[in-house]
Amino acid sequence: MAEEAAEQQSGEAAAVVGLLGFKPHLAVPGMKADAAVQFYKAAFGAEELRRVAHPKRKAEQELPLILFAELKIGSSLLLVSDCIDAAGEGGTAAVIGGGISFRLETEDVDAAVKMAVAAGAEVVSEVAEDESGVVVKLKDPVGVVWVVSAAVGNKTLDAEAEA
Amino acid sequence: MAEEAAEQQSGEAAAVVGLLGFKPHLAVPGMKADAAVQFYKAAFGAEELRRVAHPKRKAEQELPLILFAELKIGSSLLLVSDCIDAAGEGGTAAVIGGGISFRLETEDVDAAVKMAVAAGAEVVSEVAEDESGVVVKLKDPVGVVWVVSAAVGNKTLDAEAEA
């Protein structure tokens, strides 16, 4: 499987790893993700397809903490989150792309990561997300952070988008 | 036909401004845009739909200077450019998003900018691009740079994509 992938590179590679989506992901500092979402609706006609709160957030906390909001702008998608950890907060200035990363949704996270690493990407970390399982954070040669994950509840998303 | 399309949009605001596209745009420092494009092909199965060289680049210069390369990753698009001016080079660390901006293609640049400014966006500059006419650079309340433009040669792009 991995050998096949290596042989078929470039255009066909995407098919091999079952690429499902590519979405820019904006991590907003200062708990202002909700404000950002409201702005994108007003400013650019963004449509909020869904919003997922952080599952570990305690009820007594006043501010909503957005794990991600999925916005549709034109025919493309944008994810918006509150920064939820030290890496998200502190890491913004350290890499090109600042609070923006690129999310790559795939049918096979391992295969996608293997292909990227073979091409020169560096694995930054593996983190577990409650809804999508393991996601892998890569840094590319330019310095952009790519987060490779399984599709995050696309069935739910489709259902909501149709409703 | 245009009116029908406008009426049928999902977000009403988007319909008003005739939103055509939303694309992340990565400005690569150090004349490494070509290397970045090659990497994205190998690492993420990106397909290069087209590439536009900077029209003012002189023939005797050795390095190719990419005004933008348009890549398709999954079903979404990513623009990759060499940094071509002082603002592009030096501005990367100053704003959230670093070398990444969001490009908004619209049927009516003036109307789109007006709506964004009414919602709180700040006009950073207006610059002329040879292929698409005037584009307007905005900064949103989060600090992300949005470049509002007419669609850049989509007819050409469609033709090339089909070929």
Side-chain angles (χ1 to χ4, degrees):
Chain A
M1 185 64 184
E3 283 170 13
E4 266 179 29
E7 282 169 15
Q8 291 182 1
Q9 283 272 10
S10 82
E12 288 172 41
V16 174
V17 298
L19 200 61
L20 297 174
F22 162 69
K23 301 169 189 172
H25 186 166
L26 173 63
V28 181
M31 301 298 295
K32 289 182 181 167
D34 180 65
V37 168
Q38 299 312 321
F39 170 81
Y40 296 138
K41 288 180 182 177
F44 304 123
E47 181 189 356
E48 184 173 339
L49 299 182
R50 63 171 176 157
R51 180 183 293 214
V52 178
H54 194 269
K56 290 177 187 161
R57 185 148 185 89
K58 289 174 184 145
E60 67 267 23
Q61 291 174 293
E62 276 179 33
L63 289 166
L65 200 158
I66 300 178
L67 187 59
F68 61 90
E70 188 151 17
L71 305 183
K72 190 175 179 189
I73 305 176
S75 58
S76 300
L77 299 173
L78 169 67
L79 302 174
V80 179
S81 300
D82 282 310
C83 288
I84 56 170
D85 54 21
E89 289 278 5
T92 51
V95 293
I96 190 171
I100 300 173
S101 58
F102 292 154
R103 189 175 188 99
L104 204 65
E105 294 177 347
T106 172
E107 288 172 354
D108 187 336
V109 173
D110 285 345
V113 169
K114 204 166 181 176
M115 188 166 87
V117 169
E122 177 196 343
V123 175
V124 177
S125 65
E126 293 194 13
V127 289
E129 283 193 4
D130 293 75
E131 203 176 345
S132 66
V134 172
V135 303
V136 178
K137 191 180 283 189
L138 304 173
K139 199 192 282 189
D140 75 21
V142 173
V144 175
V145 172
W146 293 71
V147 176
V148 183
S149 74
V152 183
N154 273 336
K155 283 175 189 171
T156 315
L157 175 60
D158 291 344
E160 284 174 13
E162 281 163 17
Chain B
M1 183 65 184
E3 281 171 15
E4 262 179 34
E7 280 170 17
Q8 290 176 359
Q9 280 267 7
S10 51
E12 282 177 30
V16 172
V17 298
L19 199 61
L20 298 175
F22 162 69
K23 301 170 189 171
H25 187 166
L26 173 63
V28 181
M31 299 300 293
K32 291 181 179 168
D34 179 66
V37 168
Q38 298 312 321
F39 171 81
Y40 296 138
K41 289 181 182 177
F44 304 124
E47 182 189 355
E48 184 172 337
L49 298 182
R50 62 170 176 157
R51 179 184 294 213
V52 178
H54 194 270
K56 288 176 187 162
R57 186 149 187 87
K58 289 175 183 143
E60 66 267 23
Q61 290 174 295
E62 276 180 31
L63 289 166
L65 200 158
I66 300 179
L67 187 59
F68 62 90
E70 187 151 19
L71 305 184
K72 190 175 180 191
I73 304 177
S75 58
S76 300
L77 298 173
L78 169 66
L79 301 173
V80 179
S81 299
D82 282 310
C83 288
I84 56 171
D85 54 22
E89 289 278 5
T92 51
V95 294
I96 192 171
I100 300 173
S101 58
F102 291 154
R103 189 174 187 99
L104 205 65
E105 294 178 348
T106 173
E107 289 172 355
D108 187 336
V109 172
D110 286 344
V113 169
K114 203 167 183 176
M115 187 167 87
V117 168
E122 176 196 344
V123 175
V124 177
S125 66
E126 293 194 13
V127 290
E129 285 193 2
D130 294 75
E131 203 175 346
S132 67
V134 172
V135 304
V136 178
K137 192 180 282 189
L138 304 173
K139 198 193 282 192
D140 75 21
V142 172
V144 175
V145 172
W146 292 71
V147 176
V148 183
S149 74
V152 182
N154 274 335
K155 283 175 189 170
T156 313
L157 176 60
D158 291 343
E160 285 174 12
E162 280 163 18

